[in-house]
Amino acid sequence: MEPKATKLPAEAIALYNEFIHGDISRRSFMDGIHKLAGGLAAASVISALMPNYALGQQVSRTDDRIKATYETVPSPQGNGSIKGYFVRPMSADTRNEKPTKLPGVIVIHENRGLNPHIEDIARRFALANFMAFAPDGLTSVGGFPGDDYRGGQLFNQVDKTKMAEDMIASARWLKARPDCTGKIGATGFCYGGSTTNMLAVQLGGDLAAAAPFYGGPPTATDIPKIKAAVLVHHGELDTRLAATWPAYDQGLTAAHVPHEGYIYAGCVHGFNCDATPERYNKVAADLAWQRTIHWFNQYVRV
């Protein structure tokens, strides 16, 4: 595929990725951009790198083809409870909730919490005729605060072991809903991609399929616990994570787990996020989405 022409230097995007992953401070990020761009241009570069949720919205919150609510899920092994965004498709003729049971998809955010982009991803799954639940790992510290920088700060305050239990509780809640078929898949991005792999390990046969986007793989000893069909997405230029795929591929093969993995040419970490246009690669994101929907139709809907 043809890579997207990038308007900003690769070094700027790399600095942004280090910043959002907590590898460098906000000051180091801004200083680095100033060194790259210099003067007034730095402000434009920083602005271009920040998320634009309106730009990345594909499905309106008020779209009458869906019904969305915020639900609170018990999580006794985690932080006590976790709040999330639950979306179902509506019937085309009456605009009522479809009476038939639907398969479910857990949608897991990056390391900033349940921001508007992840909620939009959940709505996209509803339009693909799944019920979707996007939990907010920041629930115990007040929830997503409205911007990604503060969300990242709060993310670092949450006990990660308890947050993992919150995500497991969310998946089990979705699977057990009376309007769910009892088959669920999981997808997520960055932290959410790693957590999707974690759910595949921890849930075993209770998870039908997993589609992690640029997430860290499980340990070699955990891979044999996976029963879900696994579809992996990485960006070619996200070299650290892309380099983990061959060993994960070998481990899944040895464990006889149905799986596929794709490395998207010319793509950086976060290539699926249309709310961050300097990382977004529309060609790759559209293809990855088509593959994910096909994967879930194949393994979660049946």
Side-chain angles (χ1 to χ4, degrees), residues 4-120:
K4 172 178 174 280
T6 302
K7 292 177 286 185
L8 296 183
E11 294 87 351
I13 296 174
L15 279 171
Y16 175 75
N17 283 330
E18 289 182 52
F19 166 55
I20 62 174
H21 289 100
D23 298 329
I24 60 174
S25 67
R26 184 185 182 97
R27 172 52 57 192
S28 295
F29 164 66
M30 296 181 73
D31 286 347
I33 295 297
H34 275 278
K35 288 178 182 178
L36 279 173
L40 296 176
S44 297
V45 172
I46 291 169
S47 177
L49 286 167
M50 294 298 106
N52 182 332
Y53 297 129
L55 182 66
Q57 181 175 276
Q58 293 188 21
V59 184
S60 170
R61 297 180 65 87
T62 59
D63 193 308
D64 64 2
R65 295 172 294 174
I66 62 170
K67 179 179 180 181
T69 56
Y70 289 96
E71 304 291 340
T72 300
V73 175
S75 179
Q77 303 303 314
N79 286 291
S81 65
I82 181 167
K83 187 176 180 181
Y85 186 65
F86 177 66
V87 196
R88 277 187 58 106
M90 302 287 276
S91 172
D93 52 354
T94 63
R95 290 296 180 242
N96 293 316
E97 290 185 59
K98 293 188 175 182
T100 56
K101 292 186 176 185
L102 293 172
V105 177
I106 290 285
V107 183
I108 306 169
H109 55 70
E110 297 178 285
N111 63 343
R112 273 90 73 199
L114 180 58
N115 63 29
H117 171 66
I118 297 300
E119 292 187 349
D120 193 69

Side-chain angles (χ1 to χ4, degrees), residues 239-264:
T239 54
R240 181 180 63 84
L241 286 172
T244 67
W245 169 238
Y248 194 12
D249 179 23
Q250 291 174 10
L252 291 168
T253 300
H256 306 289
V257 174
H259 67 282
E260 293 179 9
Y262 296 94
I263 309 294
Y264 294 85

Side-chain angles (χ1 to χ4, degrees), residues 181-202:
T181 62
K183 298 196 74 170
I184 60 170
T187 191
F189 310 88
C190 185
Y191 160 77
S194 301
T195 300
T196 296
N197 284 320
M198 178 275 291
L199 289 176
V201 170
Q202 295 299 322

